[in-house]
Amino acid sequence: MSLRSLQRALASVLLDDEARRRFAKDPEAFARRAGLEGRDAALLAGLDAGDVGYFASRRRIDRRAALRADMPLTVAAMEREKAVLRYFRAHPYALEDPLAEAARAAQWAQRAAKRGRASALAADAAAFEAAWLAVRSAPPDAPRKPSPRPRRGASAQVLRLRHDLGEALEDADPAKARRRVCWLVLRHGPDGPEAGEVPEVEARLLRGADGKRSAAALVASVARAARVPAEDARRGLEGLAQEALVSPLRPASSPRRAATRARAR
Amino acid sequence: MASLRSLPWLGAGLGYRGAIHDFLEHERRNLGFLEVMPEHVLEGPHEGRQRLLEMAKSLRVVTHSVSVSVGTAGGADSAFVPRMEQVSRDLAAPWASDHLCFTKVDDRNIGQLTPIPYTNATLKEVERSVKRVQQAMKRPFLLENISAYFRYRQNELTEPEFYQKLVRRTGCGVLLDVNNLRNNAYNLGEDPKRYLDAFPLDHVVQLHLAGSDWEDGKLLDTHGSPIHEEVWALTEQVLELAPVKALLIERDQTFGPLEQLAGELRRAGKMMEAAR
């Protein structure tokens, strides 16, 4: 039991900035407050606060390896510009959930790219790899009932990237990325996670397919934003429905049909 | 269970990392074995896992994890150990290994290979823990010495003494990380040769060799640099004294240039052949 108490106290010193500060200030008092006595208190209090602090900071070495395992292209791109250390300085401790850590790294990369502290390629790689992790971890999209208000699959994510990452992702080699704006859709389909490029109109339709707007309103809005004929947007939406990327389309009820249905009840 | 002496001689190998899959394929004929992390098989991305398993089918494999946490008070991760055994069985690994340290407390993952105090009380805890792991594993279990960046001043035993007692009581094998010995020597003022002499070398089954980098005045086992000549020299000494079955070049931070890694693999292979 005492070894457990010692390890609990040490874990808090390693993982918690405030605990580490209190430990560095007065190791013996820290050990007492942690409920340690005798030899166990002496073992903890006898640790060099500087060495322990250094060890805690060293977490970034292991953290880099963990991040690389989940986001190989991102880390490769960020390492070229020494952005990994900048990310770690901005967020000294990893989140325990790898998905949350990946999402935070992607958000940081986006912000850093806007400020010129990371490349657009690093931001694109992070956006893709974080989204891929999330999609892979999500359950496969269940078939949806027909609806007049199209809704995309629960796992679907839409990305606008400034690079074609296809080959770069295969080899985790940033040099193989090509500058080109592309819209990607990722989802956990019936056969597993998948990612593919779609035309801008379809990407915008998917983004807007939140189950709140009617198909007609969505088509009109996307046609305006993408400056395409409404007919093109409508065909795009039908195509997405056929591919089960959005719920199957059902015509909206007219006031007369709704009234008839109400009388029948 | 096989005794340590009867384990197969594997030569020199590399750790599987998805980023160097093609390189590993290219170097296949120079690879005596592949070291696989069960965590990559159990939790890695599906595609990467398939590629790993495909390669592992045609190579000798040993498993090496970071999740057993034999040093945790109350025992190792009892949920992880059977999963590690399953992976080791599937890959026909002649042995499996982890580190002498703790990485978890109350299911909280520290995320680091954290040193344990070398006391007699801890020794009893770790002995119980290792024996339980051994019961769950159907193959020999090895423990690797870690790079320690702090130490307990009130230790009752040195690290080698702790290993001596632990292997005598449990019969577990040792995975000696020669680079970690050197790092500890520089960072904690220890003498690597004294370590070698004091370690239970008759229980050493496998070696790890890696590169280190200086950072903030400390020598870090970054696994991202070429192996230092001093580490090669220490390895020669170990090979003269220990019945080593496998020597692994560890690299998992930056891999390139890969010609350098290939050169280290060939050098390690020659050393193993010479010592056979």
Side-chain angles (χ1 to χ4, degrees), chain A residues 2-39:
Chain A
S2 58
L3 178 62
R4 178 166 296 174
S5 301
L6 170 64
Q7 291 184 339
R8 280 179 184 152
L10 181 54
S12 70
V13 171
L14 293 174
L15 298 172
D16 177 351
D17 288 343
E18 179 51 34
R20 194 157 54 255
R21 271 193 289 274
R22 281 190 277 116
F23 174 75
K25 195 174 170 187
D26 189 343
E28 283 162 7
F30 185 92
R32 275 197 307 277
R33 277 197 296 273
L36 299 177
E37 294 173 342
R39 176 165 292 282

Short mmCIF file of all heavy atoms in Angstrom, two decimals, chain A residues 2-39:
data_model
loop_
_atom_site.label_atom_id
_atom_site.label_comp_id
_atom_site.label_asym_id
_atom_site.label_seq_id
_atom_site.Cartn_x
_atom_site.Cartn_y
_atom_site.Cartn_z
N SER A 2 2.02 1.19 0.71
CA SER A 2 2.83 2.40 0.80
C SER A 2 3.51 2.70 -0.54
O SER A 2 3.67 3.86 -0.90
CB SER A 2 3.85 2.27 1.92
OG SER A 2 4.66 1.14 1.67
N LEU A 3 3.90 1.62 -1.26
CA LEU A 3 4.49 1.86 -2.58
C LEU A 3 3.46 2.52 -3.48
O LEU A 3 3.77 3.42 -4.27
CB LEU A 3 4.99 0.54 -3.19
CG LEU A 3 5.58 0.65 -4.60
CD1 LEU A 3 6.82 1.54 -4.61
CD2 LEU A 3 5.93 -0.72 -5.17
N ARG A 4 2.21 2.08 -3.32
CA ARG A 4 1.15 2.69 -4.13
C ARG A 4 1.01 4.18 -3.81
O ARG A 4 0.88 5.00 -4.71
CB ARG A 4 -0.17 1.95 -3.88
CG ARG A 4 -1.33 2.55 -4.66
CD ARG A 4 -2.51 1.64 -4.69
NE ARG A 4 -2.20 0.40 -5.39
CZ ARG A 4 -3.02 -0.64 -5.47
NH1 ARG A 4 -4.17 -0.61 -4.89
NH2 ARG A 4 -2.68 -1.72 -6.14
N SER A 5 1.04 4.51 -2.54
CA SER A 5 0.92 5.93 -2.15
C SER A 5 2.09 6.73 -2.71
O SER A 5 1.92 7.86 -3.19
CB SER A 5 0.89 6.06 -0.63
OG SER A 5 -0.19 5.33 -0.11
N LEU A 6 3.26 6.14 -2.64
CA LEU A 6 4.45 6.82 -3.18
C LEU A 6 4.28 7.04 -4.69
O LEU A 6 4.56 8.13 -5.21
CB LEU A 6 5.69 5.96 -2.90
CG LEU A 6 6.99 6.40 -3.60
CD1 LEU A 6 7.43 7.76 -3.11
CD2 LEU A 6 8.10 5.37 -3.35
N GLN A 7 3.80 6.00 -5.38
CA GLN A 7 3.65 6.13 -6.84
C GLN A 7 2.56 7.13 -7.20
O GLN A 7 2.69 7.86 -8.18
CB GLN A 7 3.37 4.76 -7.45
CG GLN A 7 4.60 3.84 -7.36
CD GLN A 7 4.42 2.49 -8.04
OE1 GLN A 7 3.30 2.04 -8.26
NE2 GLN A 7 5.52 1.85 -8.35
N ARG A 8 1.48 7.14 -6.41
CA ARG A 8 0.43 8.14 -6.65
C ARG A 8 0.98 9.55 -6.51
O ARG A 8 0.72 10.43 -7.33
CB ARG A 8 -0.71 7.96 -5.66
CG ARG A 8 -1.65 6.85 -6.01
CD ARG A 8 -2.74 6.72 -4.95
NE ARG A 8 -3.61 5.60 -5.22
CZ ARG A 8 -4.26 4.92 -4.30
NH1 ARG A 8 -4.12 5.24 -3.02
NH2 ARG A 8 -5.03 3.92 -4.62
N ALA A 9 1.74 9.76 -5.46
CA ALA A 9 2.29 11.10 -5.21
C ALA A 9 3.26 11.48 -6.32
O ALA A 9 3.23 12.62 -6.83
CB ALA A 9 2.98 11.12 -3.85
N LEU A 10 4.10 10.53 -6.71
CA LEU A 10 5.06 10.81 -7.78
C LEU A 10 4.35 11.08 -9.10
O LEU A 10 4.73 11.98 -9.86
CB LEU A 10 6.05 9.65 -7.91
CG LEU A 10 7.14 9.80 -8.98
CD1 LEU A 10 7.93 11.09 -8.79
CD2 LEU A 10 8.09 8.61 -8.94
N ALA A 11 3.29 10.31 -9.36
CA ALA A 11 2.53 10.53 -10.60
C ALA A 11 1.96 11.94 -10.64
O ALA A 11 1.99 12.61 -11.68
CB ALA A 11 1.41 9.50 -10.73
N SER A 12 1.48 12.41 -9.51
CA SER A 12 0.92 13.77 -9.52
C SER A 12 2.03 14.79 -9.75
O SER A 12 1.82 15.79 -10.44
CB SER A 12 0.14 14.04 -8.23
OG SER A 12 1.02 14.14 -7.14
N VAL A 13 3.21 14.54 -9.20
CA VAL A 13 4.33 15.46 -9.43
C VAL A 13 4.68 15.48 -10.93
O VAL A 13 4.97 16.54 -11.50
CB VAL A 13 5.57 15.04 -8.60
CG1 VAL A 13 6.79 15.85 -9.00
CG2 VAL A 13 5.29 15.22 -7.12
N LEU A 14 4.63 14.32 -11.55
CA LEU A 14 5.02 14.24 -12.97
C LEU A 14 3.96 14.82 -13.90
O LEU A 14 4.29 15.36 -14.95
CB LEU A 14 5.29 12.77 -13.35
CG LEU A 14 6.51 12.12 -12.68
CD1 LEU A 14 6.58 10.64 -13.03
CD2 LEU A 14 7.80 12.82 -13.10
N LEU A 15 2.70 14.68 -13.50
CA LEU A 15 1.63 15.03 -14.45
C LEU A 15 0.97 16.37 -14.18
O LEU A 15 0.27 16.90 -15.05
CB LEU A 15 0.54 13.93 -14.43
CG LEU A 15 1.00 12.54 -14.86
CD1 LEU A 15 -0.10 11.51 -14.62
CD2 LEU A 15 1.41 12.52 -16.32
N ASP A 16 1.21 16.92 -13.01
CA ASP A 16 0.47 18.12 -12.62
C ASP A 16 1.46 19.25 -12.32
O ASP A 16 2.28 19.15 -11.39
CB ASP A 16 -0.37 17.75 -11.38
CG ASP A 16 -1.14 18.94 -10.81
OD1 ASP A 16 -0.91 20.07 -11.26
OD2 ASP A 16 -1.97 18.71 -9.91
N ASP A 17 1.39 20.32 -13.10
CA ASP A 17 2.32 21.45 -12.95
C ASP A 17 2.30 22.01 -11.53
O ASP A 17 3.34 22.31 -10.95
CB ASP A 17 1.95 22.58 -13.91
CG ASP A 17 2.28 22.21 -15.35
OD1 ASP A 17 3.07 21.27 -15.54
OD2 ASP A 17 1.73 22.85 -16.26
N GLU A 18 1.10 22.17 -10.99
CA GLU A 18 0.96 22.79 -9.68
C GLU A 18 1.57 21.88 -8.60
O GLU A 18 2.29 22.35 -7.70
CB GLU A 18 -0.53 23.06 -9.39
CG GLU A 18 -0.82 23.68 -8.04
CD GLU A 18 0.03 24.91 -7.74
OE1 GLU A 18 0.35 25.67 -8.67
OE2 GLU A 18 0.41 25.09 -6.56
N ALA A 19 1.30 20.59 -8.72
CA ALA A 19 1.88 19.65 -7.76
C ALA A 19 3.40 19.68 -7.84
O ALA A 19 4.09 19.62 -6.82
CB ALA A 19 1.36 18.24 -8.03
N ARG A 20 3.91 19.80 -9.04
CA ARG A 20 5.37 19.83 -9.21
C ARG A 20 5.96 21.08 -8.56
O ARG A 20 7.03 21.04 -7.97
CB ARG A 20 5.71 19.74 -10.70
CG ARG A 20 7.17 19.42 -10.94
CD ARG A 20 7.42 18.80 -12.30
NE ARG A 20 6.92 19.57 -13.40
CZ ARG A 20 5.84 19.27 -14.10
NH1 ARG A 20 5.15 18.20 -13.80
NH2 ARG A 20 5.44 20.03 -15.09
N ARG A 21 5.24 22.19 -8.68
CA ARG A 21 5.73 23.42 -8.05
C ARG A 21 5.75 23.27 -6.52
O ARG A 21 6.70 23.66 -5.86
CB ARG A 21 4.83 24.60 -8.45
CG ARG A 21 5.31 25.29 -9.75
CD ARG A 21 4.60 26.62 -9.94
NE ARG A 21 3.20 26.44 -10.29
CZ ARG A 21 2.75 26.26 -11.54
NH1 ARG A 21 3.61 26.25 -12.54
NH2 ARG A 21 1.47 26.11 -11.79
N ARG A 22 4.68 22.65 -6.00
CA ARG A 22 4.62 22.47 -4.54
C ARG A 22 5.72 21.51 -4.08
O ARG A 22 6.34 21.73 -3.05
CB ARG A 22 3.23 21.93 -4.14
CG ARG A 22 2.17 23.03 -4.10
CD ARG A 22 0.88 22.54 -3.47
NE ARG A 22 0.05 21.82 -4.43
CZ ARG A 22 -0.27 20.54 -4.34
NH1 ARG A 22 0.14 19.82 -3.32
NH2 ARG A 22 -1.02 19.98 -5.27
N PHE A 23 5.96 20.49 -4.89
CA PHE A 23 7.01 19.53 -4.55
C PHE A 23 8.37 20.22 -4.54
O PHE A 23 9.19 20.02 -3.62
CB PHE A 23 7.00 18.36 -5.55
CG PHE A 23 8.13 17.40 -5.36
CD1 PHE A 23 8.12 16.49 -4.30
CD2 PHE A 23 9.21 17.40 -6.22
CE1 PHE A 23 9.18 15.61 -4.11
CE2 PHE A 23 10.27 16.52 -6.05
CZ PHE A 23 10.26 15.62 -4.99
N ALA A 24 8.62 21.03 -5.57
CA ALA A 24 9.92 21.70 -5.68
C ALA A 24 10.13 22.67 -4.50
O ALA A 24 11.24 22.83 -4.01
CB ALA A 24 10.02 22.44 -7.01
N LYS A 25 9.05 23.29 -4.06
CA LYS A 25 9.15 24.27 -2.98
C LYS A 25 9.49 23.61 -1.65
O LYS A 25 10.35 24.08 -0.91
CB LYS A 25 7.81 25.02 -2.86
CG LYS A 25 7.86 26.28 -2.04
CD LYS A 25 6.52 26.98 -2.14
CE LYS A 25 6.48 28.13 -1.14
NZ LYS A 25 5.14 28.72 -1.09
N ASP A 26 8.82 22.50 -1.37
CA ASP A 26 9.05 21.83 -0.09
C ASP A 26 8.72 20.33 -0.23
O ASP A 26 7.60 19.90 0.06
CB ASP A 26 8.17 22.47 1.00
CG ASP A 26 8.55 21.95 2.38
OD1 ASP A 26 9.23 20.90 2.47
OD2 ASP A 26 8.15 22.59 3.37
N PRO A 27 9.72 19.53 -0.65
CA PRO A 27 9.45 18.10 -0.90
C PRO A 27 8.93 17.37 0.33
O PRO A 27 8.06 16.50 0.21
CB PRO A 27 10.82 17.56 -1.33
CG PRO A 27 11.60 18.74 -1.77
CD PRO A 27 11.09 19.91 -0.98
N GLU A 28 9.47 17.72 1.50
CA GLU A 28 9.05 17.00 2.70
C GLU A 28 7.58 17.29 3.05
O GLU A 28 6.82 16.39 3.40
CB GLU A 28 9.96 17.33 3.87
CG GLU A 28 11.29 16.59 3.74
CD GLU A 28 12.39 17.17 4.59
OE1 GLU A 28 12.10 18.07 5.40
OE2 GLU A 28 13.53 16.71 4.42
N ALA A 29 7.22 18.56 2.95
CA ALA A 29 5.82 18.92 3.22
C ALA A 29 4.90 18.25 2.19
O ALA A 29 3.81 17.78 2.53
CB ALA A 29 5.67 20.43 3.17
N PHE A 30 5.36 18.22 0.95
CA PHE A 30 4.56 17.58 -0.10
C PHE A 30 4.34 16.11 0.24
O PHE A 30 3.21 15.59 0.12
CB PHE A 30 5.26 17.72 -1.46
CG PHE A 30 4.45 17.20 -2.60
CD1 PHE A 30 3.61 18.03 -3.32
CD2 PHE A 30 4.51 15.85 -2.96
CE1 PHE A 30 2.84 17.54 -4.37
CE2 PHE A 30 3.74 15.35 -4.00
CZ PHE A 30 2.90 16.19 -4.71
N ALA A 31 5.42 15.44 0.65
CA ALA A 31 5.32 14.00 0.98
C ALA A 31 4.36 13.80 2.16
O ALA A 31 3.56 12.87 2.17
CB ALA A 31 6.71 13.45 1.32
N ARG A 32 4.44 14.70 3.15
CA ARG A 32 3.54 14.58 4.31
C ARG A 32 2.09 14.73 3.87
O ARG A 32 1.22 13.96 4.25
CB ARG A 32 3.87 15.65 5.36
CG ARG A 32 4.99 15.24 6.32
CD ARG A 32 4.98 16.13 7.55
NE ARG A 32 5.02 17.55 7.25
CZ ARG A 32 6.13 18.24 6.99
NH1 ARG A 32 7.29 17.63 7.01
NH2 ARG A 32 6.08 19.53 6.73
N ARG A 33 1.86 15.77 3.05
CA ARG A 33 0.47 16.01 2.61
C ARG A 33 -0.05 14.85 1.76
O ARG A 33 -1.24 14.61 1.69
CB ARG A 33 0.38 17.32 1.82
CG ARG A 33 0.27 18.55 2.71
CD ARG A 33 -0.23 19.74 1.92
NE ARG A 33 0.70 20.12 0.88
CZ ARG A 33 1.72 20.98 1.07
NH1 ARG A 33 1.91 21.52 2.25
NH2 ARG A 33 2.52 21.28 0.08
N ALA A 34 0.88 14.15 1.11
CA ALA A 34 0.46 12.99 0.29
C ALA A 34 0.22 11.76 1.16
O ALA A 34 -0.12 10.69 0.65
CB ALA A 34 1.53 12.69 -0.76
N GLY A 35 0.41 11.90 2.46
CA GLY A 35 0.13 10.79 3.38
C GLY A 35 1.27 9.81 3.50
O GLY A 35 1.08 8.70 4.01
N LEU A 36 2.46 10.20 3.04
CA LEU A 36 3.59 9.27 3.12
C LEU A 36 4.28 9.40 4.47
O LEU A 36 4.34 10.50 5.04
CB LEU A 36 4.60 9.57 1.99
CG LEU A 36 4.07 9.43 0.57
CD1 LEU A 36 5.14 9.82 -0.44
CD2 LEU A 36 3.64 7.99 0.32
N GLU A 37 4.80 8.29 4.90
CA GLU A 37 5.51 8.28 6.18
C GLU A 37 6.80 7.49 6.02
O GLU A 37 6.96 6.71 5.10
CB GLU A 37 4.65 7.60 7.26
CG GLU A 37 3.38 8.35 7.60
CD GLU A 37 2.48 7.56 8.54
OE1 GLU A 37 2.68 6.34 8.65
OE2 GLU A 37 1.60 8.18 9.15
N GLY A 38 7.69 7.68 7.00
CA GLY A 38 8.89 6.86 7.10
C GLY A 38 9.71 6.82 5.82
O GLY A 38 9.96 7.84 5.17
N ARG A 39 10.06 5.58 5.43
CA ARG A 39 10.94 5.41 4.28
C ARG A 39 10.31 5.94 2.98
O ARG A 39 11.00 6.51 2.14
CB ARG A 39 11.29 3.92 4.11
CG ARG A 39 12.13 3.65 2.86
CD ARG A 39 12.76 2.28 2.89
NE ARG A 39 13.76 2.18 3.92
CZ ARG A 39 15.01 2.68 3.79
NH1 ARG A 39 15.37 3.28 2.70
NH2 ARG A 39 15.88 2.55 4.77
#
